[in-house]
Amino acid sequence: MKTTATPHETNAAGGIMKTLTGLFRSNIREYGMLIALIAVMVFFQIQTAGVLMKPVNLTNLVLQNSYVITMAVGMLLIIITGGIDLSVGSVVAVIGALAGVLIVRYDVNWIVVVAICLLLGAMIGAFQGYFVAYRKIPAFIVTLAGMLVFRGLTIALLRGESVGPFPRGFQNISSGFIPDLFQNEGLHITTLLIGVLLSILLIFLDVRGRKNQQKYGLEVTPFYFFVVKNIVITIAVMGFCYLMASYKGLPNVLVLLFALVTFYAFITSSSVIGRRIYAMGGNEKAARLSGVNTPRLLFYTFINMGILASMAGLIVAARLNSSTPNAGDGMELDVIAACFIGGASPMGGVGKVIGALVGAFLIGVLNNGMSILGVGIDWQKVVKGIVLLAAVLFDVYNKNKNA
Amino acid sequence: MADVILEMRNITKTFPGVKALNNVSFSVTQGEIHALVGENGAGKSTLMNVLSGIYPYGTYEGEIYFQGSECRFRDLTESEKVGLVIIHQELALIPFLSVAENMFLGNERAKNGVIDWNESISKTAEFLERVGLHESPNTLITDMGVGKQQLVEIAKALAKEVKLLILDEPTAALNEKDSEKLLELLLQFKEHGISSILISHKLSEVKKVADSITILRDGATIETLDCRKDNITEDRIIRGMVGRDMTHRFPPREKNIGEVIFEIRDWNAYHPIHEDRKVSNNVNISVRRGEVVGISGLMGAGRTELAMSIFGRAYGTRISGKAYRNGEEVDISTIDKAISNGIAYATEDRKAYGLVLIQEVKNNITLANLEEISSRQVINEPREMKVTSEYRDNLNIKCSSIRQLALNLSGGNQQKVVLSKWLFSSPEILILDEPTRGIDVGAKYEIYTIINRLVSEGKGIILISSELPEILGVCDRIYVMRDGKIVGEMPASEASQEKVMKHIMTQQEATQS
Ligand SMILES: Nc1ncnc2c1ncn2[C@@H]1O[C@H](COP(=O)(O)OP(=O)(O)OP(=O)(O)O)[C@@H](O)[C@H]1O
Ligand SMILES: [Mg+2]
């Protein structure tokens, strides 16, 4: 056996090329998806004569997608354990219904209602998780049952009709912007301030990571590359924040999504619990024999999913400004498809948050672009189905090539 | 010189970052048993996968000639069609199907798509007869021991009209009696003109049956020895494999045995499915500081079951008994508690219980002790890289990078990863279940050296092994187990191969009469 030598930091230009190709190789899946996403965006941008990328439509796209992304991060964890959750669409509906009934019919303060809903979401997750983790009933079956039960409860709660409208505060969950603390006329100062803080934080973390790598004698990317990378990221962050600040500031939903995606990306890549979830999905017996409490972990991933599904339920209700019996119908499929398009494996043990995010956006852009073009819901489904199949085919092909 | 039945010329096979085979040539003559030996990761399994079409034509360089014509197999079925049958390191039978169903799987005896069960069953019986297995064709695979399963695999190969049988470590999981039987069978086949390729780390077997021996090292052919002409000794083979002479099989150790650090009293456990079957029966064992305690016995004696029931009740139901650490009773009723009480159990079944195959080597090594490489639940990856690299270097794990997937390691190197995982959890009491199964002579020596180092640090080791020479060479004290009971105990100084064997056998006769 001969091991190919690891590249050394030779001349700077060659070093950068090597670093880039290395990065590309080890993340071929993510880059492949990203390229597909960009290609699809360019396609619709041309087809819709520029409507796709208009700020109004972009905002719309993010809002439409927000619930898929919110739930995709939780679904990803479940899929990594080797399970699935079919009930999330119905949980979205039942939570929305509960919020509607409490706020509109019983006049309960909306903040209290949000707290109640999140708690209930956790309980729904715990209920299903209990059967999956401790009674060893396959997740597919438990959540299929959940899907029926919660849809039925929704219709019962709403007595078959829509309930609304909601007070302003509640609506702002999905349509509001973060408050400007400085009451400036032109630019939204809070947004800019967040941009600056975020940039500083990112640079700080990167520097610390690099120091840590050096401390343990690991090879680091060339210094150049490091500097250029940080400059590019800072410009991107500040540019984006400036754009937002010149409008109305950052939308609440965007802040929430950013927080969720960052948090879950961190959990999956760098935390002990994330490591254990991957191990459990990869080989449950080996994980258990290594001291991982696998049933408990599985239970937690379902509770987590319940909370995220109830967040999505609140966002949907706030956005529609009413609770309807068929809210979230079929949403579980978009969420699950986002994860698989993003490279998660139905066998468990594989999948990344960034992948699921890109997958969710791909589905979102397809939905949005085709709607603008006036493609009917029928053909939209056909196209989404084919994209899902193609993405997984790409995975299988890649895997065989590397074997 | 007999006819050459198989010739592989200049085979080169590259995986991302690794050249597993480099210009290897290999040939087998008609009606011989040709052994293929070499260290872990030398490329033996890879060469056979190339041969049998598991790595299809085009994914490697070089040519293969079988019975004079060039072969370009695209998959396994194509190589089976010409009479090349491979039996893998891991058995590939379907557990909940019967022998007859497994026998003709993919090769069904059918007319117009309807299986002819009468023919299937009578043929199965015939093939079972030929391999000397007296079992009904309707027996389910799960109800048979590994030894018999191995024979079913061979009968299955016969059903495919095998001309060249390839066996990848067939005896690794077999006890001596079953191994003996299997080798006997190969010799019989030879009489009937069936050639075999035998991959094995058990050099005594190789010496016994092989007509010629090819040695691979680091993906290249080193030499081919002809056993018919010269008398080839085991030491001679080892020299070829490791490139130097090895004078000792077991490293010497200075004994320094202290007080009892771990003890199990009145341990009972029942089978998880057949709940009235006792798998551990009033077992009492103890380990002292700095002591290696061996548990010997035949396959199915209940050694693994005992070890796993001790390790956080990972096996069995209705477990009762007491555990003491340093004289005080401890609670080891969950795996978590067992680990935090300083117990570790390195499994014999690395694929099913030991490794997360689809993950990196480094993640596997740290899995049982993530606390060590994290602070406040956040993993410090550079630190992880560093410590796991140290394990790779110390145990000489062959991998292109510490981030390589465990899946892509050779069998022996996977075993070393399992061992690293438990060494990294820094246990006080380490239970090793067949730690050298499928491991080459050089690596065995390394593992014995590690065992010595651990006991010299004052740890206690329980070694479960089916290889008597290993038990005798490494242990300070030996328990003999049979049917879930401890039936004998002796210091190693008084033990000999005959004595331990006799212990097992006398007991057997006693229970049989
Ligand atoms: N799919 C793969 N991807 C990358 N490397 C691989 C792959 N399969 C095998 N290798 C590498 O090729 C080398 C040869 O492996 P192989 O399994 O042939 O060894 P072996 O001689 O059978 O060893 P053992 O005695 O341990 O079974 C090893 O270094 C292994 O890491
Ligand atoms: Mg092998």
Side-chain angles (χ1 to χ4, degrees):
Chain A
M1 189 195 79
K2 287 198 182 60
T3 315
T4 42
T6 40
H8 283 288
E9 199 176 318
T10 43
N11 61 62
I16 287 183
M17 268 325 286
K18 270 197 182 134
T19 315
L20 284 178
T21 44
L23 269 178
F24 188 80
R25 269 227 200 95
S26 54
N27 293 304
I28 187 161
R29 178 63 221 229
E30 282 72 28
Y31 286 103
M33 290 316 305
L34 208 58
I35 290 168
L37 177 62
I38 291 169
V40 168
M41 286 177 86
V42 168
F43 173 79
F44 281 115
Q45 176 72 359
I46 295 169
Q47 288 295 312
T48 60
V51 175
L52 184 86
M53 299 289 248
K54 283 214 173 113
V56 178
N57 191 53
L58 274 184
T59 318
N60 223 343
L61 203 126
V62 171
L63 286 180
Q64 272 176 0
N65 252 307
S66 54
Y67 14 94
V68 174
I69 297 171
T70 306
M71 291 193 283
V73 289
M75 185 67 77
L76 183 77
L77 294 189
I78 292 192
I79 288 177
I80 292 173
T81 66
I84 197 134
D85 189 342
L86 298 174
S87 72
V88 293
S90 298
V91 175
V92 162
V94 82
I95 294 291
L98 183 75
V101 168
L102 288 181
I103 295 176
V104 178
R105 289 207 192 128
Y106 293 91
D107 224 7
V108 184
N109 178 297
W110 69 268
I111 295 177
V112 176
V113 172
V114 166
I116 292 176
C117 285
L118 291 180
L119 191 69
L120 187 76
M123 281 161 59
I124 289 175
F127 176 73
Q128 301 194 100
Y130 167 77
F131 288 103
V132 177
Y134 294 107
R135 307 250 66 131
K136 311 277 178 224
I137 301 176
F140 187 92
I141 293 171
V142 171
T143 60
L144 185 63
M147 181 177 174
L148 294 169
V149 168
F150 299 121
R151 180 65 60 188
L153 287 178
T154 306
I155 299 171
L157 263 176
L158 294 174
R159 298 185 208 119
E161 58 201 26
S162 295
V163 173
F166 289 114
R168 188 72 233 163
F170 185 76
Q171 283 179 46
N172 272 344
I173 294 178
S174 79
S175 54
F177 295 83
I178 56 166
D180 194 353
L181 304 174
F182 301 92
Q183 311 293 342
N184 186 305
E185 271 306 300
L187 283 174
H188 196 279
I189 303 292
T190 322
T191 300
L192 285 181
L193 204 60
I194 288 179
V196 172
L197 290 178
L198 188 64
S199 299
I200 293 173
L201 184 70
L202 286 176
I203 293 173
F204 169 75
L205 287 177
D206 208 23
V207 169
R208 209 179 62 166
R210 192 180 165 87
K211 279 222 181 95
N212 193 20
Q213 280 182 328
Q214 280 166 335
K215 179 174 150 202
Y216 289 102
L218 295 183
E219 207 188 327
V220 291
T221 52
F223 187 66
Y224 263 59
F225 184 79
F226 174 77
V227 172
V228 171
K229 185 180 86 182
N230 274 296
I231 291 174
V232 169
I233 289 176
T234 307
I235 290 175
V237 169
M238 287 315 296
F240 180 76
C241 287
Y242 181 80
L243 203 72
M244 285 298 173
S246 58
Y247 185 46
K248 289 187 192 165
L250 288 168
N252 286 334
V253 171
L254 201 62
V255 175
L256 177 71
L257 287 184
F258 182 79
L260 283 178
V261 168
T262 314
F263 177 71
Y264 283 95
F266 172 77
I267 288 287
T268 49
S269 67
S270 308
S271 77
V272 167
I273 198 160
R275 193 54 88 70
R276 291 190 169 143
I277 290 176
Y278 279 101
M280 168 183 171
N283 183 347
E284 203 258 344
K285 289 178 194 149
R288 202 164 56 87
L289 276 176
S290 301
V292 178
N293 189 338
T294 51
R296 195 169 65 196
L297 208 53
L298 195 56
F299 184 62
Y300 286 166
T301 61
F302 272 90
I303 293 182
N304 177 60
M305 183 75 250
I307 296 172
L308 289 171
S310 96
M311 259 185 216
L314 293 170
I315 298 174
V316 170
R319 190 171 135 72
L320 297 178
N321 199 12
S322 75
S323 309
T324 63
N326 60 354
D329 196 18
M331 207 176 270
E332 62 281 345
L333 300 180
D334 276 354
V335 173
I336 292 167
C339 293
F340 287 140
I341 289 177
S345 157
M347 315 289 279
V350 177
K352 285 188 188 163
V353 168
I354 293 303
L357 182 68
V358 175
F361 265 111
L362 191 62
I363 293 238
V365 172
L366 285 173
N367 279 339
N368 182 274
M370 287 191 288
S371 300
I372 299 174
L373 287 181
V375 177
I377 209 91
D378 41 1
W379 288 105
Q380 290 197 15
K381 291 202 174 181
V382 173
V383 171
K384 281 195 280 181
I386 290 173
V387 167
L388 172 62
L389 200 61
V392 177
L393 198 67
F394 179 76
D395 271 350
V396 173
Y397 169 77
N398 238 342
K399 209 179 196 173
N400 288 344
K401 209 179 61 185
N402 289 337
Chain B
M1 186 81 194
D3 303 338
V4 173
I5 180 170
L6 168 77
E7 191 170 2
M8 301 179 78
R9 279 189 212 149
N10 307 330
I11 305 288
T12 297
K13 168 83 192 164
T14 320
F15 295 110
V18 191
K19 208 169 213 177
L21 295 173
N22 190 5
N23 224 354
V24 170
S25 294
F26 175 66
S27 66
V28 179
T29 54
Q30 173 66 39
E32 74 166 349
I33 298 180
H34 196 128
L36 188 58
V37 300
E39 294 185 291
N40 297 126
K44 305 178 293 295
S45 300
T46 306
L47 186 66
M48 292 304 108
N49 288 344
V50 165
L51 174 57
S52 58
I54 291 174
Y55 298 140
Y57 180 77
T59 61
Y60 59 87
E61 290 151 42
E63 292 132 42
I64 300 172
Y65 293 89
F66 185 63
Q67 295 187 312
S69 50
E70 191 181 353
C71 302
R72 299 178 167 185
F73 303 126
R74 273 168 304 178
D75 57 28
L76 206 60
T77 44
E78 291 196 357
S79 64
E80 286 183 350
K81 224 176 274 162
V82 303
L84 265 166
V85 181
I86 183 164
I87 297 178
H88 283 282
Q89 219 157 341
E90 278 78 28
L91 297 180
L93 297 169
I94 314 230
F96 288 103
L97 292 184
S98 72
V99 175
E101 283 167 316
N102 269 287
M103 183 74 74
F104 294 110
L105 199 67
N107 184 20
E108 285 83 2
R109 296 292 131 122
K111 284 191 194 80
N112 308 324
V114 181
I115 293 182
D116 183 343
W117 281 114
N118 291 333
E119 191 196 334
S120 301
I121 288 177
S122 70
K123 279 270 185 227
T124 302
E126 197 176 295
F127 287 123
L128 291 184
E129 189 60 34
R130 274 179 69 189
V131 298
L133 181 60
H134 306 289
E135 280 281 347
S136 152
N138 293 321
T139 317
L140 296 189
I141 296 295
T142 59
D143 297 336
M144 308 171 57
V146 248
K148 288 182 175 175
Q149 292 185 15
Q150 189 68 263
L151 292 178
V152 172
E153 281 273 17
I154 292 175
K156 200 174 155 185
L158 288 179
K160 292 174 185 155
E161 290 168 35
V162 60
K163 297 201 184 77
L164 175 61
L165 184 63
I166 305 164
L167 299 138
D168 196 349
E169 301 192 37
T171 58
L174 301 193
N175 63 36
E176 303 212 0
K177 229 170 72 194
D178 288 341
S179 303
E180 193 89 1
K181 209 163 160 185
L182 192 132
L183 297 176
E184 207 48 54
L185 212 56
L186 289 190
L187 291 171
Q188 255 179 50
F189 287 174
K190 190 168 103 174
E191 304 284 295
H192 292 104
I194 299 176
S195 327
S196 333
I197 299 174
L198 173 68
I199 298 180
S200 179
H201 289 293
K202 297 185 181 169
L203 298 181
S204 55
E205 301 176 354
V206 168
K207 186 173 159 359
K208 193 149 75 191
V209 299
D211 299 310
S212 40
I213 302 172
T214 293
I215 299 173
L216 283 185
R217 195 198 309 154
D218 289 341
T221 328
I222 298 299
E223 56 189 338
T224 296
L225 307 168
D226 191 337
C227 310
R228 285 160 295 204
K229 263 195 274 165
D230 315 300
N231 181 26
I232 309 285
T233 61
E234 283 184 42
D235 288 336
R236 174 70 189 80
I237 305 174
I238 293 172
R239 175 143 47 94
M241 282 171 61
V242 301
R244 60 187 155 80
D245 278 312
M246 268 187 59
T247 35
H248 300 287
R249 291 287 179 85
F250 303 100
R253 161 156 62 97
E254 212 161 288
K255 299 204 173 169
N256 187 5
I257 296 173
E259 74 286 0
V260 172
I261 51 170
F262 185 68
E263 195 174 4
I264 289 295
R265 280 194 214 141
D266 304 322
W267 199 260
N268 286 300
Y270 290 82
H271 194 279
I273 297 166
H274 310 288
E275 285 196 30
D276 47 346
R277 210 165 96 202
K278 231 176 185 180
V279 289
S280 296
N281 196 345
N282 276 321
V283 173
N284 293 288
I285 56 172
S286 64
V287 198
R288 293 170 173 277
R289 194 174 289 287
E291 184 184 41
V292 183
V293 177
I295 305 185
S296 181
L298 296 176
M299 295 267 162
R303 296 166 303 172
T304 295
E305 289 80 355
L306 172 67
M308 284 179 75
S309 70
I310 293 172
F311 186 59
R313 314 203 163 170
Y315 178 92
T317 50
R318 287 161 51 205
I319 296 165
S320 62
K322 289 192 162 75
Y324 300 86
R325 183 178 171 200
N326 297 325
E328 273 170 47
E329 192 176 342
V330 284
D331 176 10
I332 50 169
S333 58
T334 68
I335 294 168
D336 217 14
K337 285 178 188 162
I339 293 177
S340 53
N341 271 306
I343 303 174
Y345 168 71
T347 171
E348 61 171 344
D349 191 343
R350 55 186 173 242
K351 291 217 163 149
Y353 295 111
L355 294 170
V356 185
L357 287 169
I358 57 170
Q359 277 164 19
E360 298 168 1
V361 167
K362 115 185 133 51
N363 296 17
N364 274 288
I365 295 179
T366 54
L367 184 59
N369 193 10
L370 287 169
E371 294 74 31
E372 186 67 31
I373 51 144
S374 59
S375 60
R376 275 179 260 122
Q377 299 294 306
V378 179
I379 291 175
N380 184 341
E381 205 160 316
R383 183 172 153 68
E384 182 182 37
M385 294 285 280
K386 179 149 185 281
V387 294
T388 52
S389 297
E390 284 166 13
Y391 276 92
R392 175 189 59 186
D393 297 342
N394 286 343
L395 270 74
N396 213 346
I397 300 172
K398 274 189 196 158
C399 50
S400 57
S401 142
I402 203 77
R403 311 199 72 143
Q404 194 179 2
L405 300 188
L407 187 71
N408 295 336
L409 258 51
S410 80
N413 284 303
Q414 289 179 341
Q415 183 68 27
K416 292 188 196 171
V417 174
V418 174
L419 212 58
S420 305
K421 168 165 83 178
W422 291 111
L423 293 182
F424 183 58
S425 77
S426 38
E428 275 291 288
I429 303 106
L430 179 58
I431 309 175
L432 298 172
D433 197 349
E434 306 281 4
T436 62
R437 169 176 296 173
I439 279 196
D440 69 58
V441 266
K444 270 186 189 167
Y445 192 87
E446 286 162 22
I447 286 178
Y448 301 144
T449 313
I450 292 164
I451 290 178
N452 284 356
R453 200 187 70 216
L454 291 173
V455 289
S456 74
E457 287 165 7
K459 305 195 160 146
I461 290 189
I462 299 176
L463 174 70
I464 299 176
S465 173
S466 298
E467 282 186 51
L468 273 180
E470 176 170 286
I471 291 265
L472 295 170
V474 181
C475 299
D476 300 306
R477 193 154 52 86
I478 300 166
Y479 289 108
V480 181
M481 206 168 165
R482 206 189 112 67
D483 277 343
K485 277 191 284 244
I486 299 287
V487 293
E489 180 187 350
M490 65 198 85
S493 53
E494 294 170 17
S496 67
Q497 197 142 337
E498 291 72 30
K499 198 169 165 192
V500 175
M501 268 327 261
K502 211 186 279 168
H503 224 105
I504 298 173
M505 293 310 164
T506 345
Q507 281 294 326
Q508 202 160 9
E509 274 153 30
T511 44
Q512 266 167 9
S513 61

